[in-house]
Structure formats: structure tokens, C-alpha cells
Amino acid sequence: MTQPPFRADHVGSFLRPERLRAARERFFAKTLPAGELRAIEDACIREVVRAQENVGLKGITDGEFRRTYFHVDFLERLDGVETHYGEFVAKFRKDDGSEVGFKPPTMHVEGKIRHAKPIQGPDFDFLKSVVTRTPKVCIPAPSMLHFRGGRQAISESAYPDLEPFYVDLTAAYRDEIADLAARGCRYLQLDDTNLAYLCDPKIRESTRARGDDPDALTRLYCRLVNDAIRDRPKDMTISVHLCRGNFKSAWVAEGGYEPVAEILLNEMKIDGFFLEYDDERSGDFAPLRFTPKGKTIVLGLMSSKHPEAEPKDAVKRRIDEASKYVALEQCALSHQCGFSSTAHGNDLAEADEWRKLERCVAVAREVWADA
């Protein structure tokens, strides 16, 4: 495949090198100037770009090396958005039954949403200048500014009715996407945890308890994406990544895609879906039967949460299982999520992530002739 999503693809984030972590700590402690941090980030991004290209990836990201969180660093740069800390403790769970306590930042809308200036543009310019393949930009989906806080996190004085909020939010995204397009970006990914969370029976129940209909939210979030991307160039590929939580190799939600699949796969007007499928928490492949022609399903069969590289034969068997519900030529392969959705990273080493990505590329080349 010459156009993304590619047969062997990647969600976006990579483990931060130690010198980058140390530099960012010094910057936040106000002992390292912003210019010096930027220079260190540039050097680390050059290295992660070369590493991606060396293992055979065709879609290349900057590893999200300039961010602390996959979503906060973007959303808080929209006018009207403020970041609050310590409001609640999220309970991430590990496969061994242990829990990881975490107080994630929460986003509050305190004023009118506006795209005052480019957000990812300068970072894309640098990435584009150092790749030899397709530069890929990952940004949070617009739903990330709604689901976690709901109505209570959106000022009623700024938005007494939510419809103008949705209009302003998607207009801000259109401005950002137009800026990226003008700079040459042709591969954009929207990261969304909420639609995968709405697959979890317990989260669906708690969503109803706060007064929201899970199915109505699924349709709303599809509409927000569609409105956000409606002016994109015809040659810009848009994908959406769904995730059930990825923090220090721990997760939040579980449940198959059946509750959202028919709405999601048919109403969201994008080109590809990166779907988490690395363990039983994601359910079976039956929901993929709703996939329409012309859309790519990137099967997240490999795990970014542990260091072991999945056996080739095991991954191929899973691809075969998926192809019973969606045509093989509409499929691709990736890990279920990035290796470092936050700067904290997952429980594996840098050498592990590259070995695992080499395996991903090798499997894709053996399964698809056009990989």
C-alpha cells in the first residue's frame, strides 16, 4: 500500500529517551531554557525518526516527544480551555490484578473555544524536514474535550446550551487541520479513548447515571469528527485510534466493540480505524462485520504494554480470524496503542519496542503482498 494507513503501522507515541525525560524535568523546574529543550527534543526526534524508518515503518511520527500527555498538551492550547489537576484519581488496572493510581489532568471549558494560532504546525514542519517517508500527526479527537467531564466541565456562562460549544469546537479543529494541510500534512490521526470506554458495560452504566445516553454519545462523537474534518483536502488520510487506557502498562476499560461498532464504522467519515485487539478485553472480531467498503481496519493485535514480541504464527492466526468478518485487503496491523501515551511510558525498554515493531513489519510483509 502506498497510501496510509499502511499494512504495518503504528499508533504514534514512543518511549522517551532518558536524556529527554531529564531535560523536560529541568525545563519544568525552570533550570533549562525553552530553546535548549527544543534542541534536545529535535535531536531525539531525529533519532526516533531514523529508528522508525530503519525497522520498515512507512508512517512516521515524532514519537510525541514534545508532549507530556497525548491529549492535554493539544487541548489546553485552544482558547477557552483550562487544565485542572488533582480532581480525581483514576484507577488503571494491570493484567496481574494490581492497580495503578493516577491523578490525570482534567480539561475544563471556561470560555469560548477558539483556535487562536497553530498548535501542531511548527512541530509538523520539523518532522516533515527530517523524514524520508510519510510524516504522520496525531492529535486528540474532539470528544476528548467532552466525555470525561461532561456538562459539568463546560461553563454554563460560556455555553448555556451545548450545541454552540460543539460548533465552536469543530470549527477550531477545522482551523487546525487547514493549517496542517497547508503545511503539507496528508496523514492525520485522531486519538479517542471515549468510544472504546463506551464499550465497557460499567462505564456505559455510569454514563447513563450522569444523564447521558451512550448510543447518543457515540453518534455525537461521530458527528464531531465529521464536522471537524469536513474541509480536509481530498488526498489527506484521516484515521481514528480507539483505546481502553494505556498508562504504565495498565488499562481502564474492557468490553467488545459490539455496542458502538455499527454506528462508529458506518457514520464516522474517515479512512481507517486503529482498533485495540491485543487481548480478551477487546472481545471478538464479530463487530468488524459492520465495516463498509473503502475503510481500513488496522488490527491492534500486538501489545505495547509488555516487552515480549508476539510470535508470528499467533499474530497470523488472529489476522485469519479477523478476515472472517472483514476482507483481508481492508486490514492492516499495528500495536494496540503507542508505547508511551504519556511521558511516563510503559513497562518495557526501548530495545523491546523496536524488536516488537520489527516483528509487526515482518508479519505484515508475509501476510500482504503490498506491505
Side-chain angles (χ1 to χ4, degrees):
M1 294 175 72
T2 58
Q3 299 297 319
F6 299 105
R7 295 299 189 192
D9 217 314
H10 179 255
V11 170
S13 63
F14 289 97
L15 297 171
R16 281 34 165 197
E18 182 53 41
R19 77 179 188 282
L20 177 58
R21 291 167 62 96
R24 290 181 65 82
E25 287 178 5
R26 289 177 56 204
F27 170 75
F28 289 121
K30 303 185 185 304
T31 61
L32 183 72
E36 291 186 30
L37 172 63
R38 186 85 181 180
I40 294 170
E41 290 172 343
D42 287 353
C44 291
I45 289 169
R46 286 190 181 93
E47 292 174 6
V48 81
V49 163
R50 293 286 85 79
Q52 291 172 77
E53 294 185 343
N54 287 341
V55 298
L57 291 175
K58 297 178 181 178
I60 309 299
T61 75
D62 64 5
E64 301 180 13
F65 279 6
R66 303 192 200 275
R67 303 187 203 174
T68 302
Y69 300 93
F70 81 94
H71 60 308
V72 174
D73 301 64
F74 179 92
L75 294 172
E76 67 183 1
R77 292 178 63 185
L78 295 171
D79 279 9
V81 177
E82 294 185 8
T83 307
H84 293 206
Y85 294 88
E87 290 188 331
F88 74 101
V89 177
K91 291 185 178 179
F92 283 73
R93 290 172 283 177
K94 291 197 172 186
D95 293 339
D96 62 6
S98 62
E99 291 187 348
V100 178
F102 176 44
K103 291 185 177 181
T106 54
M107 316 306 296
H108 286 247
V109 177
E110 305 291 358
K112 292 290 188 179
I113 297 294
R114 189 169 68 94
H115 182 268
K117 58 183 178 181
I119 299 175
Q120 289 298 127
D123 295 346
F124 172 77
D125 289 344
F126 179 79
L127 176 65
K128 183 183 177 184
S129 75
V130 297
V131 301
T132 63
R133 298 175 188 172
T134 302
K136 174 181 178 180
V137 175
C138 305
I139 63 176
S143 65
M144 297 300 297
L145 201 52
H146 176 267
F147 181 72
R148 295 190 179 186
R151 168 76 266 189
Q152 291 185 341
I154 301 169
S155 166
E156 291 196 25
S157 61
Y159 293 106
D161 180 73
L162 284 179
E163 188 57 33
F165 162 70
Y166 302 140
V167 170
D168 288 353
L169 177 61
T170 55
Y173 267 78
R174 287 195 298 276
D175 288 345
E176 175 70 8
I177 292 170
D179 178 73
L180 286 167
R183 296 170 188 266
C185 176
R186 290 300 181 268
Y187 190 11
L188 180 68
Q189 176 180 295
L190 304 176
D191 292 317
D192 188 300
T193 62
N194 309 314
L195 288 162
Y197 282 22
L198 288 172
C199 297
D200 188 310
K202 292 181 180 178
I203 294 178
R204 289 177 70 83
E205 182 180 340
S206 64
T207 299
R208 290 190 189 95
R210 80 178 192 188
D212 286 316
D213 177 349
D215 293 335
L217 283 184
T218 301
R219 286 193 164 88
L220 169 64
Y221 295 160
C222 288
R223 175 166 70 94
L224 295 183
V225 168
N226 294 343
D227 287 349
I229 69 172
R230 72 186 186 200
D231 296 332
R232 63 166 164 161
K234 291 182 179 179
D235 61 347
M236 175 185 277
T237 295
I238 305 280
S239 63
V240 166
H241 166 239
L242 273 64
C243 175
R244 291 169 175 79
N246 185 40
F247 175 72
K248 292 186 176 181
S249 294
W251 49 271
V252 172
E254 54 190 329
Y257 293 102
E258 197 69 31
V260 305
E262 186 170 12
I263 299 171
L264 172 70
L265 296 175
N266 287 281
E267 295 189 14
M268 193 175 283
K269 299 175 182 178
I270 62 169
D271 303 295
F273 293 91
F274 282 73
L275 299 182
E276 182 176 1
Y277 263 120
D278 60 323
D279 61 28
E280 66 281 354
R281 289 185 299 108
S282 301
D284 61 24
F285 296 114
L288 299 183
R289 70 190 183 276
F290 294 114
T291 307
K293 297 292 185 182
K295 293 189 179 181
T296 300
I297 300 296
V298 186
L299 299 164
L301 300 174
M302 303 178 73
S303 176
S304 66
K305 286 181 163 63
H306 61 72
E308 299 80 18
E310 289 79 357
K312 282 185 180 182
D313 289 345
V315 178
K316 290 179 181 178
R317 283 196 298 271
R318 295 276 283 155
I319 294 172
D320 287 341
E321 291 174 22
S323 68
K324 295 175 183 177
Y325 300 96
V326 59
L328 182 63
E329 61 266 24
Q330 287 184 250
C331 294
L333 177 65
S334 74
H335 288 75
Q336 99 293 348
C337 196
F339 290 95
S340 192
S341 297
T342 74
H344 310 83
N346 282 345
D347 296 340
L348 69 166
E350 290 180 57
D352 298 324
E353 68 182 351
W354 300 115
R355 184 172 60 253
K356 290 169 76 72
L357 285 164
E358 285 177 353
R359 178 65 52 83
C360 178
V361 172
V363 172
R365 287 173 175 170
E366 293 177 15
V367 171
W368 293 281
D370 59 353

